[in-house]
Amino acid sequence: MKDLRTHGGAWKPKPRLIGIIAIAFLALTGCTSGNNTSNGTSDTAPGKAANTATFALPPNTVPNWIWPFTPIADFSLTNISNLQQLMFRPLYWFGNEGKAEVNDSLSLADQPVYSNGGKTVTIKLKDYNWSDGNPITSTDVMFWYNMAKAEKTNFAAYVPGQFPDNIVSATAPDAKTIVFNTDKAYSEQWFLYNQISQITPMPPAWDMTATDTKGDCATNESGCAAVYKYMVSQSEDLPTYATNPLWQTVSGPWMLKSFSSDGNITFVPNEKYSGPIKPSLKEFIEVPFTTDSAEFNVLRGASTIDVGYIPTQDLTDPRPTNTTPDQAGPNPLSENYTLAPWNLYGINYFPINYNNPKVGPIFKQLYFRQAMQSVVDQQGILTTAAKNYGFETTGPVPLFPDSPLISAIEKNNPYPFDIATATKYLTDNGWSVTAGSAATCTKPGTAAGECGAGIASGQALEFNLLYASGQQTITTAMESMKSNAAQAGIILNITSAPFNTVTGTAVPCSGATCTWEMGNWGGGWVYAPDFYPTGETLFQTGAGSNSGGYSNHAVDKLIAATTTKSGTAVMQAYEDALAKDVPVVWQPNYTYSLTLIANALKGATPQNPYGSISPEEWHY
């Protein structure tokens, strides 16, 4: 899922869900009250008297897609975690007391049972109800499955050949049982974490083709196209979110009381929520900010925010170098707030458009991608702009928390910051480089030492890079990269735009209109709803969230192997190949949010490593 993502300064945007991750032995050891900095001098909170909690949204980033069948342009942590999942629960909940693993107690179903040599997967639903009192049934799961089959190319987590393509048959033998028969045996962990993890049961109220016309997608795949068209039209009608009957039937702990397309959103408890943790707050309120500085001005004044964030530029001191990313440094607002660094299980990068008719041929040259990566001063950005909050990204597996999945190649960074090396990558391959000016191709052709296929004589290394506005850390990082790249003959024309504009621009495309070049929404990807970091959602040829159209058939084979085999060897083979091939531009994985929690508010930590929030657990 795109990270907002991604977090910080502390928020950063990540597009996809969720693009997000994990396996049972990966644990975020921090994000607990024991690691927070607070002197406890004030046990107050803005919402304590009214028993409400107000949550600050990431800067210049607001929810804009309510239906949990999300296209890539809207597949963001903000939409999924701050809107959809509060009301519409996925079949399986991930994140367990701060650990990157499935949470059985909050899932709508028991863990699947495998039989028939691993090719038959049986799922048993628990006794959950919709808010209208009707039970959540196997038909509601089949509704999602039929929609996924009929409209798979419109779902951001879809990967050709995988769910639902790899399902030979799907049946609902009774109201509480779903049986999937797969085309071959898969890794049981991978199938749970990266396949059926995508499912969100859909209520019968959504099986409509018009306001007063019932559809039949829940029982008939051929009826899904008309239902999809209607549901998209309703999802695009933001002003009616709080009043449209479609969105009033929920499975989660919260319901919408009010919704504004500017990001002011109020939730109230779903009094009929079936889960084990019922909300105790009377209201949960989300508020928007155009910049992180604007949010912080509210926090340090007569604040109305119970859970917010501190921009890195407003920290008085950096996180001490002898601490880990989950630990907090000095907190300038400790009188009223506790500082809790929130790290997500994900990676930070920005895509480049391989299918751009003009510059795509340049991006397809490995030497150019190596040069681009070599002008990214990750450690310098972390030390200065991020004040030591975060860690580097050197490949597809996160470097924090530590785990057996992380290979030696990733730990040693195959492309460290080095302008001289970046320059040499270019001059060795047919480019004339003058620091401060765009390098030009002086040796066109496809032989060794020449520029490569599709690159014309005199073509210049000058590119447009759109990045998410509103976060000083990201702005500083982009300005640093622009300066460093220019010294190696790569000119980056950087411009900023709101997060939703960037994620809506940097999407898979082809043809003459496929003109975007580089797009940085700021946070890369949280591994979700594909929670195990195998890469099929992001880097496999044709994948729904493969924004830049990267394609490497050798890597495709390595990704495929990770879906059927367990263990670290198969994962590291894929990981190492991708780290060396540089499919995207890796950038620092900033701490998702330097979260500030009102001292009187309890239950907000540990924070979910996949970026989900659970205000039903918050209380005074």
Side-chain angles (χ1 to χ4, degrees):
M1 175 173 34
K2 283 172 181 162
D3 194 6
L4 211 36
R5 177 161 185 32
T6 150
H7 313 151
W11 290 90
K12 36 178 196 176
K14 267 179 168 185
R16 293 126 165 96
L17 226 256
I18 266 188
I20 318 181
I21 6 190
I23 43 184
F25 59 79
L26 292 178
L28 288 180
T29 58
C31 293
T32 64
S33 57
N35 289 328
N36 298 336
T37 300
S38 172
N39 59 24
T41 58
S42 175
D43 190 32
T44 61
K48 185 175 181 180
N51 195 28
T52 64
T54 298
F55 176 84
L57 288 168
N60 215 14
T61 306
V62 297
N64 66 344
W65 189 270
I66 192 171
W67 186 32
F69 191 87
T70 313
I72 186 173
D74 302 297
F75 200 48
S76 69
L77 205 60
T78 294
N79 280 329
I80 294 168
S81 299
N82 298 337
L83 181 61
Q84 296 170 9
Q85 287 185 345
L86 294 173
M87 300 181 290
F88 312 116
R89 286 301 208 214
L91 192 62
Y92 292 100
W93 187 261
F94 287 82
N96 185 16
E97 290 297 314
K99 300 173 185 175
E101 63 187 28
V102 66
N103 187 322
D104 291 326
S105 68
L106 297 181
S107 296
L108 304 184
D110 295 326
Q111 288 208 24
V113 175
Y114 299 86
S115 59
N116 185 30
K119 294 195 293 183
T120 297
V121 185
T122 303
I123 298 170
K124 290 285 187 179
L125 295 174
K126 298 177 183 178
D127 291 327
Y128 273 75
N129 292 328
W130 295 104
S131 57
D132 62 7
N134 290 315
I136 296 177
T137 70
S138 54
T139 301
D140 303 327
V141 175
M142 291 299 295
F143 185 2
W144 190 96
Y145 173 72
N146 286 339
M147 183 64 73
K149 285 200 299 178
E151 300 292 337
K152 58 191 178 184
T153 58
N154 289 314
F155 181 56
Y158 170 67
V159 177
Q162 296 183 3
F163 200 82
D165 296 347
N166 54 10
I167 303 301
V168 175
S169 66
T171 58
D174 59 55
K176 292 295 181 181
T177 306
I178 304 97
V179 179
F180 292 121
N181 287 296
T182 61
D183 57 357
K184 61 183 175 182
Y186 292 95
S187 161
E188 293 181 4
Q189 182 184 56
W190 176 82
F191 198 80
L192 169 60
Y193 276 69
N194 285 18
Q195 300 289 273
I196 54 177
S197 58
Q198 301 173 11
I199 298 173
T200 297
M202 294 184 178
W206 292 356
D207 201 356
M208 306 291 291
T209 60
T211 304
D212 300 315
T213 307
K214 188 68 177 172
D216 64 347
C217 180
T219 56
N220 183 2
E221 180 187 344
S222 64
C224 292
V227 174
Y228 175 81
K229 183 178 180 180
Y230 177 68
M231 291 297 291
V232 167
S233 71
Q234 301 305 292
S235 300
E236 292 174 340
D237 192 4
L238 275 66
T240 66
Y241 277 6
T243 57
N244 189 331
L246 278 178
W247 315 125
Q248 307 310 308
T249 302
V250 304
S251 57
W254 299 95
M255 305 179 71
L256 274 178
K257 176 183 178 181
S258 63
F259 181 95
S260 173
S261 56
D262 66 6
N264 285 285
I265 308 170
T266 299
F267 298 87
V268 294
N270 168 16
E271 301 296 343
K272 296 183 179 180
Y273 176 55
S274 307
I277 304 173
K278 312 293 193 294
S280 63
L281 298 171
K282 290 183 178 179
E283 291 183 345
F284 172 63
I285 304 162
E286 296 180 351
V287 293
F289 291 91
T290 55
T291 66
D292 51 11
S293 296
E295 184 269 352
F296 187 62
N297 286 336
V298 174
L299 276 183
R300 62 185 174 187
S303 180
T304 56
I305 299 172
D306 298 279
V307 178
Y309 46 89
I310 182 170
T312 51
Q313 66 267 21
D314 290 301
L315 289 168
T316 52
D317 296 287
R319 177 176 64 83
T321 56
N322 62 345
T323 58
T324 54
D326 55 299
Q327 295 177 298
N331 175 12
L333 298 186
S334 60
E335 181 177 356
N336 296 311
Y337 291 93
T338 296
L339 175 59
W342 189 1
N343 295 288
L344 301 189
Y345 193 79
I347 54 177
N348 196 10
Y349 65 87
F350 66 81
I352 55 180
N353 187 4
Y354 292 84
N355 292 328
N356 180 289
K358 178 182 176 182
V359 300
I362 297 175
F363 295 161
K364 291 177 181 178
Q365 308 304 316
L366 174 59
Y367 71 80
F368 173 77
R369 304 197 300 275
Q370 292 169 321
M372 275 289 293
Q373 192 60 56
S374 298
V375 300
V376 182
D377 185 6
Q378 294 201 58
Q379 193 54 55
I381 294 168
L382 286 169
T383 301
T384 55
K387 296 188 177 176
N388 291 334
Y389 282 98
F391 45 95
E392 293 187 24
T393 303
T394 57
V397 175
L399 295 180
F400 181 84
D402 193 21
S403 86
L405 293 184
I406 305 171
S407 71
I409 286 179
E410 274 208 2
K411 287 182 178 180
N412 292 321
N413 191 358
Y415 304 111
F417 172 60
D418 191 324
I419 293 174
T421 298
T423 302
K424 191 173 189 302
Y425 280 127
L426 299 176
T427 56
D428 285 352
N429 287 279
W431 295 85
S432 176
V433 176
T434 301
S437 301
T440 57
C441 174
T442 53
K443 294 182 180 178
T446 57
E450 295 177 341
C451 300
I455 301 173
S457 176
Q459 190 163 354
L461 297 182
E462 183 170 356
F463 310 97
N464 297 321
L465 197 169
L466 185 68
Y467 71 94
S469 59
Q471 302 168 61
Q472 186 57 46
T473 300
I474 297 174
T475 298
T476 300
M478 289 294 90
E479 291 173 346
S480 169
M481 185 176 179
K482 173 184 173 73
S483 176
N484 294 334
Q487 295 181 57
I490 302 172
I491 301 302
L492 301 177
N493 301 315
I494 61 174
T495 56
S496 63
F499 169 79
N500 289 340
T501 299
V502 180
T503 59
T505 300
V507 297
C509 59
S510 61
T513 61
C514 189
T515 57
W516 71 271
E517 297 179 0
M518 301 178 179
N520 182 13
W521 50 82
W525 187 267
V526 176
Y527 280 106
D530 290 359
F531 297 88
Y532 192 64
T534 47
E536 63 275 2
T537 301
L538 294 177
F539 303 115
Q540 184 168 308
T541 300
S545 290
N546 185 347
S547 297
Y550 169 76
S551 179
N552 183 319
H553 294 299
V555 170
D556 289 344
K557 292 179 180 179
L558 293 171
I559 290 175
T562 66
T563 69
T564 57
K565 302 176 183 178
S566 301
T568 59
V570 66
M571 275 296 300
Q572 290 190 0
Y574 148 73
E575 171 187 2
D576 290 348
L578 208 65
K580 293 175 182 177
D581 204 41
V582 207
V584 291
V585 179
W586 310 117
Q587 56 186 355
N589 200 347
Y590 314 112
T591 296
Y592 174 64
S593 174
L594 298 177
T595 307
L596 289 174
I597 303 167
N599 290 336
L601 184 64
K602 312 302 179 185
T605 57
Q607 298 173 95
N608 189 299
Y610 302 113
S612 298
I613 56 175
S614 300
E616 62 274 15
E617 298 182 12
W618 301 359
H619 62 277
Y620 296 105

